[in-house]
Amino acid sequence: MSTFVLVHGAWHGSWCWKRVRSSLQAKGHNVFTPTLTGVAERSHLLTRDVTLETHILDIVNLIRWEELSDIVLCGHSYGGCVISGVADRVPDCIRSLVYLDAFVLEDGENLLQQLPEDQQKQLQEGTTTLGEGWKVPPIPAEVFNVNANDNDWVNRQCTVQPIETFQQCIKLGGGIKNIKNVSYILATGFLEGSPFPPFYEKAKAKGWKTTTIGCGHDVMLDRPEELTGLLLDSAAMSQIARSGSRDA
């Protein structure tokens, strides 16, 4: 039995993981899918003071108070920024990291600067015109090539997110480097305008395990069973690696 902590991307919430969560639980695993402060069912906590640091602490505190260890920690999209911060704080609790079509920040970077200039401009214009200068409206599901059956549902479920979650620079102290089992999954059905292929190439250069999956950006909705298998593979590979190091 493994423990999975699955972190959603921008504008989403725990709801987007329900298929993968059910699949992993049916196989006997512990699964946590926390909703980050200020979105979805926690949208009543939305303020301009919610930052990337808030979201990192959401997950660090979940791990602390649930007393979790040996975790497979997966972050989707913006959630990649969150899991990097979490892994840097509590590396001893993490068995493996999985970046799912996600941003991978280095110390001192933020998400906004990883976007092409036209996407930065669109995001900032939406924040100014629709978000009172600090709330970022969700990008439509159609842009992310979400499967047609889920498009309307995803657009209903997504909520605004504070601009500081995209603008705050991450602070990494080096703890994340202690985690050796890291993988990156790239969604190849969302490549036009996608900011994620450079992170996939970066992952290959770092020697991480890399995989592609043929679907839109919301992999957990388009390919839940395939993603479940990839997460289980990540758990199993890290288990084998740890057993081998003990045997040596």
Side-chain angles (χ1 to χ4, degrees):
M1 182 178 70
S2 297
T3 298
F4 295 87
V5 176
L6 312 178
V7 181
H8 63 79
W11 309 296
H12 288 54
S14 175
W15 56 269
C16 71
W17 291 110
K18 62 173 60 180
R19 296 169 188 166
V20 174
R21 180 176 64 229
S22 295
S23 181
L24 288 169
Q25 288 173 334
K27 293 173 174 60
H29 300 286
N30 290 325
V31 187
F32 296 84
T33 57
T35 291
L36 301 172
T37 298
V39 293
E41 77 271 18
R42 304 186 71 207
S43 56
H44 60 289
L45 300 176
L46 177 71
T47 73
R48 66 172 66 240
D49 296 325
V50 173
T51 65
L52 172 59
E53 175 69 10
T54 308
H55 290 166
I56 291 170
L57 290 175
D58 282 339
I59 308 304
V60 169
N61 287 342
L62 168 75
I63 292 169
R64 177 183 174 188
W65 269 277
E66 290 287 349
E67 300 179 306
L68 304 180
S69 62
D70 206 25
I71 301 162
V72 177
L73 179 61
C74 174
H76 173 243
S77 197
Y78 162 76
C81 308
V82 178
I83 67 169
S84 290
V86 173
D88 196 64
R89 309 283 178 88
V90 291
D92 292 345
C93 297
I94 312 300
R95 180 194 297 186
S96 63
L97 284 177
V98 180
Y99 290 91
L100 177 61
D101 219 31
F103 295 93
V104 184
L105 301 182
E106 302 294 338
D107 182 46
E109 294 182 339
N110 66 24
L111 183 150
L112 196 60
Q113 68 190 121
Q114 311 304 318
L115 298 175
E117 286 189 15
D118 62 326
Q119 293 182 18
Q120 290 186 36
K121 184 177 179 181
Q122 290 171 8
L123 186 148
Q124 290 169 326
E125 286 178 349
T127 303
T128 300
T129 58
L130 300 173
E132 303 174 12
W134 63 274
K135 291 178 285 191
V136 184
I139 293 175
E142 294 82 357
V143 174
F144 290 131
N145 198 25
V146 174
N147 70 85
N149 290 333
D150 286 328
N151 263 335
D152 290 344
W153 176 57
V154 170
N155 286 330
R156 289 196 308 271
Q157 293 287 89
C158 284
T159 57
V160 296
Q161 184 160 324
I163 186 67
E164 268 306 296
T165 58
F166 302 112
Q167 291 184 154
Q168 186 180 48
C169 294
I170 197 168
K171 295 180 180 179
L172 300 176
I176 191 172
K177 296 178 182 178
N178 295 324
I179 300 172
K180 304 305 179 187
N181 190 59
V182 188
S183 58
Y184 195 99
I185 302 170
L186 178 70
T188 59
F190 168 58
L191 289 181
E192 184 176 352
S194 170
F196 302 112
F199 296 109
Y200 176 75
E201 295 302 323
K202 183 188 207 177
K204 289 198 290 187
K206 287 176 175 285
W208 296 354
K209 176 179 170 55
T210 55
T211 309
T212 60
I213 187 167
C215 64
H217 181 50
D218 280 12
V219 182
M220 71 289 292
L221 300 180
D222 290 359
R223 297 285 190 274
E225 289 301 325
E226 192 171 345
L227 177 56
T228 296
L230 292 173
L231 290 171
L232 290 172
D233 287 347
S234 179
M237 287 185 64
S238 59
Q239 187 79 42
I240 292 169
R242 289 188 308 130
S243 298
S245 65
R246 286 198 299 267
D247 293 342

